[in-house]
Amino acid sequence: MEDLPNVFPSGLKTLWNSHTLIETQKLQNLLEEVTHLRAEISSLKEFTQMALESCVKTDWALKSSGATIDIQRTSQTYDCKDSCLCRILRFFWTASPPDTILQPNVFPGNCWAFKGHQGQVVIRLPARVYLTAITVQHITKEASPSGTVISAPKDIAVFGVDADREEETLLGMFTYNVEKDPMQTFPLKNMLLPRAFSHVKLLVKSNWGNPWYTCIYRVKVHGKMENQKGSTKGPDK
């Protein structure tokens, strides 16, 4: 019994040291896992950026390259010829057809407008394409005769559409920011899980405040044609 007071503190110290060693090792392992995870995330970001940059030069939504609008699945063009607003704007804006968004001529008023803040357009691509990104373009506030761009789309969802089976696959949701560059490119989920589509659906869920209509100036669709083997050739930008 006389040795117990001396044995107990020594055993407790050994137990504490052992516990500290185990916890330190766990912490070291955790730090190594975090470092490894960060490296993987960094590599994934680099891969995504490289893939996006390599495909963004190709635009599959050019009318001159064979892209067309699926009118039956597209919102009706806004007709405002009887309103006071159109009488004010008649000198620089007239109703344009949906395929205006498939042409490179972007200038104030040369856009496709649909009624309200919600609408959609379905683009029929000239080939089946592995979709990687989509570009939306509007005009700047400085270029707008009204000094505003409240008719620009805001919240947008992109779907890949398989015409044969009438299936729609959500590829991404994003916000077009009128405070940033007028031409904005957004990567799609299809980049990592590729599947080729013959149509692209652009669903506009809201705009920047115009209660009458929403304008889309230009849409570009980026990706790689299904039957290309290692080649990135396609229509010019």
Side-chain angles (χ1 to χ4, degrees):
M1 297 294 293
E2 294 178 356
D3 296 332
L4 185 58
N6 295 327
V7 173
F8 183 73
S10 176
L12 182 61
K13 183 177 181 180
T14 301
L15 181 61
W16 174 258
N17 289 339
S18 177
H19 176 73
T20 302
L21 181 62
I22 293 174
E23 292 301 317
T24 300
Q25 186 62 45
K26 287 183 178 179
L27 180 58
Q28 182 64 32
N29 292 340
L30 182 60
L31 290 174
E32 291 178 357
E33 290 180 3
V34 170
T35 301
H36 181 68
L37 183 59
R38 285 178 175 175
E40 289 185 343
I41 293 175
S42 178
S43 298
L44 182 60
K45 286 182 177 179
E46 291 179 3
F47 168 78
T48 302
Q49 185 62 30
M50 290 175 61
L52 178 59
E53 290 176 354
S54 66
C55 293
V56 78
K57 293 181 180 180
T58 303
D59 177 18
W60 294 98
L62 272 173
K63 182 177 180 180
S64 60
S65 297
T68 57
I69 299 295
D70 188 335
I71 297 297
Q72 293 184 344
R73 301 184 189 182
T74 296
S75 300
Q76 290 186 346
T77 299
Y78 177 54
D79 184 1
C80 67
K81 61 184 179 181
D82 296 326
S83 71
C84 294
L85 178 65
C86 279
R87 285 196 289 270
I88 296 174
L89 303 179
R90 67 184 183 277
F91 294 108
F92 65 89
W93 185 62
T94 56
S96 300
D99 64 4
T100 301
I101 69 174
L102 307 180
Q103 302 177 63
N105 301 322
V106 176
F107 55 86
N110 190 41
C111 65
W112 171 62
F114 60 82
K115 186 177 181 179
H117 64 276
Q118 293 184 339
Q120 68 180 48
V121 58
V122 176
I123 302 171
R124 185 185 296 108
L125 305 174
R128 290 181 62 85
V129 177
Y130 293 106
L131 305 173
T132 56
I134 192 163
T135 296
V136 176
Q137 183 177 359
H138 203 76
I139 57 173
T140 63
K141 292 180 181 179
E142 293 74 19
S144 173
S146 65
T148 67
V149 286
I150 59 174
S151 66
K154 183 178 181 181
D155 296 311
I156 301 173
V158 178
F159 298 83
V161 182
D162 192 325
D164 298 331
R165 290 177 290 179
E166 300 293 327
E167 292 183 359
E168 295 184 356
T169 302
L170 178 63
L171 301 180
M173 299 177 65
F174 55 87
T175 298
Y176 179 87
N177 191 338
V178 293
E179 299 298 331
K180 295 184 178 181
D181 191 274
M183 184 182 295
Q184 299 173 29
T185 299
F186 306 90
L188 302 176
K189 292 189 296 185
N190 199 44
M191 179 181 293
L192 300 179
L193 299 172
R195 175 185 169 191
F197 295 97
S198 59
H199 294 62
V200 176
K201 175 181 173 180
L202 197 75
L203 175 63
V204 178
K205 296 184 174 183
S206 64
N207 65 21
W208 284 91
N210 190 311
W212 300 288
Y213 61 87
T214 301
C215 276
I216 301 179
Y217 273 82
R218 184 78 172 89
V219 173
K220 298 181 181 181
V221 176
H222 311 292
K224 184 177 177 182
M225 193 164 63
E226 183 179 40
N227 62 0
Q228 288 179 318
K229 298 180 179 180
S231 172
T232 58
K233 294 181 178 180
D236 295 331
K237 183 176 179 181

